[in-house]
Amino acid sequence: MFTGELRGAQWRSQATRLWAPTAVALIAAVVIGLQVTASGAGFVGPLRSLAGDYFGTPTSATVPWVGLGVAMVGLSARYRVWSLSVAAALDIVFAAVRVARGGALTLGNGPLIVLTGLAVLVVWRRWARAEQSTALRGVAFGLLLIIATKVGDSWLRITAILRPVVMDEYALLADHALAQPSWLLGRLLHLGGPVFNAALHWVYIELPVAAMVVAIYQLRNVSIGGWPRHFLIPTFLVLGLIGPLIYVFFPLVGPDFAFGSAGRGFEVGDFWPHAVPRINLSPRAIAFDGSTPRNCMPSMHTAWALAVFLHSRGGPRWLRMGGALWLVCTVAATLGFGYHYGVDLLAGGVLCLTVESALREPVRDRIGWRIGMTAFGAAFLAALLVCCRYFAEEMARFAVPFGLLIIGALVAFSAAFYATYFARPARPAKDRSLPVPGVFVGQGSSAVS
């Protein structure tokens, strides 16, 4: 037994030494390739954006602190105090100098500089192997989150270049099967007033904060008990890798841009949210500007918020309530601000459940369900995209049957997901016909406890 475990540990160590440099090289190649593309297309790429975050005006005050917060889980208390203190001090100094020069009052330089310094420190400092591995893994996840954000920003600009036309008329028709939820939520949010809208907008923008809270709770004991088999950050990264690829196949800009006041002259008309456009059963691709991202299908905010909700289920009540509240508010914001159609949210939810099915460990008696759940989710997502693109007219003409079919499939998928990954397997029932104490019967066989 001990020999087998030792061999397994040696194999994992060798595998880590092989894939880690490969992953670093692949990430570097992607970042450099995007930067070359960005320089040729005339927009800021990931490397220039990172340079600005180090020494200029950060594009986000939240993401660098989220990355540093994730890195803290792998460090000792002493290094956590020093790292957070130095990051806060640097942020204050950079912000003060920037404001004195007439720049914007924002944060983000300090945590990125400290996170980079931690990466160098962990690699070169001679710690115990287990301590160094834990610290390095935390720092790597923190840096990955920041780099993934930069890559995503560049990819959004590329989608506008690759797809000069958008398919919003198809999505509008398809949304008739869901009773046009964007128009409904848009009217309700307009009645909510500026304070309510500002709160929802903050929730929408600061989704990384919720993710950091859940991730840190999941990883709070990694320095003692090791890393869990599955946690939120890998799901976030995989979703960010797969979801944006679909943007190119089904480019959308959203109701407020295609049918509202944010279209800057490219909109079909100013309809959102006060009036649903007239049904046109012959949808066409709409030429749009070269800067607005085609980032609606699927809704990645919905996918990530659903991931936060799912991973908060294993925490205390305050974390579960927070995850549920963040999901509800994110869905309300994505629809109510005119950023997405209903079919976008469904696609984002299906994508999240599919990725979680592939990464999450099933309950003991449902090990074989993982492949089936992942295959069904992928087929469901593909079928939804095909219907929105090639059967949008039928979805609008037969709205009720299509709506019931789509919602029913999502409910069935969600129920199967719960049964596979959350529901506890039934305990073997006692065989009351046997007089011998301690004998139980389960799954057709008996065993002495």
Side-chain angles (χ1 to χ4, degrees), residues 11-55:
W11 181 86
R12 286 191 295 271
S13 178
Q14 293 175 357
T16 301
R17 286 196 294 267
L18 289 175
W19 68 258
T22 304
V24 171
L26 181 61
I27 293 171
V30 170
V31 171
I32 293 173
L34 286 174
Q35 183 59 54
V36 172
T37 303
S39 299
F43 64 89
V44 177
L47 290 179
R48 286 180 57 189
S49 182
L50 275 173
D53 284 1
Y54 277 109
F55 306 110

Side-chain angles (χ1 to χ4, degrees), residues 61-348:
T62 303
V63 174
W65 278 104
V66 169
L68 182 62
V70 170
M72 292 298 98
V73 300
L75 299 177
S76 64
R78 175 191 171 198
Y79 279 100
R80 290 174 186 173
V81 172
W82 276 104
S83 299
L84 295 174
S85 301
V86 173
L90 287 174
D91 242 1
I92 293 173
V93 171
F94 271 91
V97 172
R98 188 162 42 245
V99 171
R101 293 180 175 180
L105 176 59
T106 186
L107 304 173
N109 305 97
L112 184 58
I113 294 173
V114 171
L115 187 58
T116 306
L118 284 174
V120 175
L121 177 67
V122 172
V123 170
W124 292 105
R125 185 176 175 83
R126 292 184 178 180
W127 288 346
R129 178 173 296 181
E131 184 182 6
Q132 184 182 41
S133 176
T134 300
L136 185 59
R137 193 171 180 179
V139 171
F141 276 121
L143 288 172
L144 269 177
L145 288 174
I146 297 174
I147 294 173
T149 302
K150 301 302 180 183
V151 169
D153 292 342
S154 297
W155 180 251
L156 292 183
R157 294 297 305 270
I158 291 175
T159 60
I161 297 172
L162 292 179
R163 300 308 303 264
V165 298
V166 295
M167 304 292 182
D168 284 74
E169 287 195 358
Y170 294 86
L172 176 69
L173 277 183
D175 245 21
H176 276 71
L178 304 175
Q180 296 297 344
S182 181
W183 267 259
L184 175 61
L185 265 296
R187 294 172 185 173
L188 291 177
L189 259 62
H190 274 65
L191 298 175
V195 176
F196 179 71
N197 280 261
L200 278 185
H201 192 265
W202 183 85
V203 170
Y204 183 84
I205 295 296
E206 300 299 343
L207 179 62
V209 174
M212 180 184 68
V213 173
V214 174
I216 290 178
Y217 179 82
Q218 290 180 314
L219 304 175
R220 65 195 184 281
N221 294 322
V222 295
S223 59
I224 301 174
W227 289 79
R229 293 178 62 87
H230 178 51
F231 52 99
L232 179 61
I233 298 176
T235 298
F236 254 58
L237 294 174
V238 173
L239 285 172
L241 180 65
I242 297 175
L245 295 177
I246 305 176
Y247 295 162
V248 179
F249 298 101
F250 205 101
L252 299 176
V253 291
D256 192 25
F257 291 88
F259 303 101
S261 58
R264 293 180 294 185
F266 290 90
E267 69 274 6
V268 175
D270 190 4
F271 299 102
W272 187 89
H274 51 274
V276 178
R278 197 177 195 180
I279 296 179
N280 179 12
L281 295 179
S282 299
R284 60 183 177 84
I286 308 169
F288 218 79
D289 65 30
S291 60
T292 303
R294 279 58 164 159
N295 62 336
C296 288
M297 176 66 83
S299 169
M300 295 307 300
H301 265 81
T302 301
W304 283 321
L306 180 57
V308 169
F309 170 79
L310 293 174
H311 284 268
S312 68
R313 296 305 88 192
R317 177 177 294 182
W318 64 267
L319 191 67
R320 298 196 305 270
M321 293 179 62
L325 181 63
W326 217 281
L327 175 61
V328 171
C329 291
T330 299
V331 169
T334 54
L335 292 173
F337 292 141
Y339 298 152
H340 289 279
Y341 303 91
V343 289
D344 303 339
L345 270 68
L346 287 180

